[in-house]
Every structure is written in structure tokens, then in C-alpha cells.
Amino acid sequence: MKLKSVTSLLLLSVIWGVYYVATQRAVRVLSVFSVGIVVRFITMMILAVIMLAEGKFTDLFHTKGVTKRLFLIGGFGYLLDLTAFIGLSVSPAGSGTALLKCDVLFVNIISVLIYKYRFTRADWACSMVMLFGVFLVMGINFSSFRLGDAGNIFFILSALFVSINAFLIKSVQTSKVSAVSDHVVAFYNNFITMALFALSALFTGDFRQLAKIGGNAFIIVILLICSVGQSLIYIVYYDNLRRFPVWIVKVFLLLMPVVAALVSYMAFGERLVPMQYGGMAVVLLGALGILLEQKKKSQFQQNTVTEGVKEK
């Protein structure tokens, strides 16, 4: 795997980590639905400006052959947020966040069963090492953890929806029926999720919370950071999904909690305990293992091609 490729994957973890911390701060003041509406509205404006500047805004109306999948992507985008929110309302956030990162397991299983991807033992081992490191960084207390708890079931559903959505996005990117840009996929995903958040806010009465934003400079800045972060996630995440196998993208996103912990420490003074530092080292060790294994696979493929050419 080339340095440029690794940089792109690492950049996504940094962006997502900052976005995660900013979102955590925002939902301390506003409801999840209110934050979702504002962030996705601003993100929609950013995406629209980008597409207008590129002269590709009209591409939004040329999605024949993939329109249904675009709506499904938006629907799953809403469901993964909704199920995570329900889980957080009835279970501890720590164990829930850990279960959400288990989407890497769903992605690996889907890759094997549906896409017939062949994982090496090192691939599985390094993925599990990174996931274990994530649990250490998050400080999960497994003595009180129960998989069958109602909240944990919703977290698992959210992780499943995240995994399915990644493959849906990949299927649209590689569609031979209609070649739509990543910006089009992002715009549909963002708009549909925003619309469903708005409907949910109407149902729950959370629209009234939007009044808290006016005059609150801190929350305005945080929401702007969230919006820019969400926009960058769409751009970098979709670009990575287009260029790499879904499982590689998801494995490297296990670095995101490490970034989030460091950002919380540097920006808000949240203390880190030795176990978290150890977890970071474990995650990085697993990531190094993945990189070395991918390099080994790449060299093997190159040698195979070279030998094939020589035989001819």
C-alpha cells in the first residue's frame, strides 16, 4: 500500500475523530435530532456550493438506474443514527460506542459471504487486535457488559446498518448502469437523512430546541465544526470507498477513537489513563500489521504478474 493511500485513510480517521468530539459537545446542549437537522442543512449548502462551482449541480437529476439505491443509502443513514440514539437512551455510552465499532466485523463477514473476499489469518488477527485496542481506549468495563441488553441490540443494529450502507455506496460508485459522482451520492444521503431527522423532530417536538442556538456563540462554532467535518467525511470517506475494499476503510476507521481521545485531551483537558495509552499502542500495532500484510499481498501479486509475463 502506497504512502499516499495510507495518508488518505489516516486523514479520514482524523476528520471523523474531530467530528465525533464536536458532535458529543453539541448533543450536550441540543437533542440529537436538532443537531442532525442543523449539521446536515449546512452540509447540504456546502455540497451544493461545491457542485455549483464544478458545474455539476444538474448531475443530481441524472441518476437513472441508481435512484432507488440512493434513497436506500439515505434511509440507512437515518436508521444507523436513530438506532444508535435509541441505544444511548437506554444503555451506557461506553459499551455502546464499542459495539458501534464492531461494524468492522459485519463488513468482514459480508465481504466473505457475498463478495467471496479471501482474508488471511493476519488480516483477521490484526483486525481483532485493533478492535481490542479500541475497547481499551474507550475504557470498556466488561464486568457489567451484557450483549442481550435492549440498548446493546440497537447498537448492534446500528453497526449492521453502517456496514450495509458502506456496501450500498460502493455498489453505486461501481455501477455500470449510471456513473454518478461521489458528490451526488453524498448529497442524496445527506438530504434524505436531514428530511427524516426533520420529520422525527416534528414528532418529538425537538424543533423548539433550535431556539437555543441563537446568541450561543459556543454552540454555533461547534455546529459549524460539525458541518465542515460532515462535509469532509462525505468527500474523503466516499473517495476511500471508491479506491479501497470496504473492509480496509473500516479497519483504518478503528483509529478514530484514538484521535477522538487525543482531541478531547488537547482541546478540553480530558485526562487519559494508562490503559488508554496502552490501547492506542495496541491499535497502532494492529494498523501496522494490516499495512505490512497489504504490502506483502501487493508484492505477491506483482511477482505473479511478472512471472506470468516472463512465461509468455
Side-chain angles (χ1 to χ4, degrees), residues 78-154:
Y78 169 75
L79 285 174
L80 65 90
D81 280 338
L82 179 64
T83 47
F85 169 62
I86 295 173
L88 284 170
S89 67
V90 295
S91 289
S95 61
T97 308
L99 284 174
L100 290 176
K101 298 315 298 176
C102 288
D103 64 336
V104 69
L105 299 180
F106 285 119
V107 165
N108 285 11
I109 292 170
I110 292 172
S111 297
V112 170
L113 296 180
I114 298 179
Y115 294 92
K116 309 301 180 184
Y117 189 90
R118 294 184 179 181
F119 288 93
T120 64
R121 291 180 181 178
D123 289 333
W124 282 108
C126 291
S127 297
M128 295 304 101
V129 166
M130 290 185 72
L131 191 58
F132 176 68
V134 167
F135 291 166
L136 293 178
V137 172
M138 292 177 174
I140 305 304
N141 181 9
F142 287 100
S143 63
S144 60
F145 181 78
R146 297 291 183 276
L147 188 62
D149 288 351
N152 290 338
I153 292 173
F154 283 105

Side-chain angles (χ1 to χ4, degrees), residues 140-193:
I140 305 304
N141 181 9
F142 287 100
S143 63
S144 60
F145 181 78
R146 297 291 183 276
L147 188 62
D149 288 351
N152 290 338
I153 292 173
F154 283 105
F155 287 129
I156 293 171
L157 281 174
S158 182
L160 177 60
F161 293 148
V162 169
S163 305
I164 294 173
N165 219 24
F167 284 105
L168 278 172
I169 293 166
K170 185 83 170 181
S171 74
V172 171
Q173 291 176 327
T174 57
S175 174
K176 296 179 180 179
V177 179
S178 178
V180 298
S181 70
D182 291 347
H183 292 336
V184 170
V185 182
F187 192 95
Y188 272 86
N189 188 355
N190 185 76
F191 178 79
I192 294 166
T193 303

Side-chain angles (χ1 to χ4, degrees), residues 14 21 23 28 31 35 59-60 76 85 102 106 128 133 156 158 174 220-221 223 230 234 236 246 267 307:
V14 172
V21 173
T23 302
R28 292 181 183 181
S31 72
V35 172
D59 288 356
L60 292 172
F76 275 108
F85 169 62
C102 288
F106 285 119
M128 295 304 101
I156 293 171
S158 182
T174 57
I220 290 173
V221 171
L223 288 173
Q230 181 68 74
Y234 279 135
V236 182
V246 176
E307 289 175 2

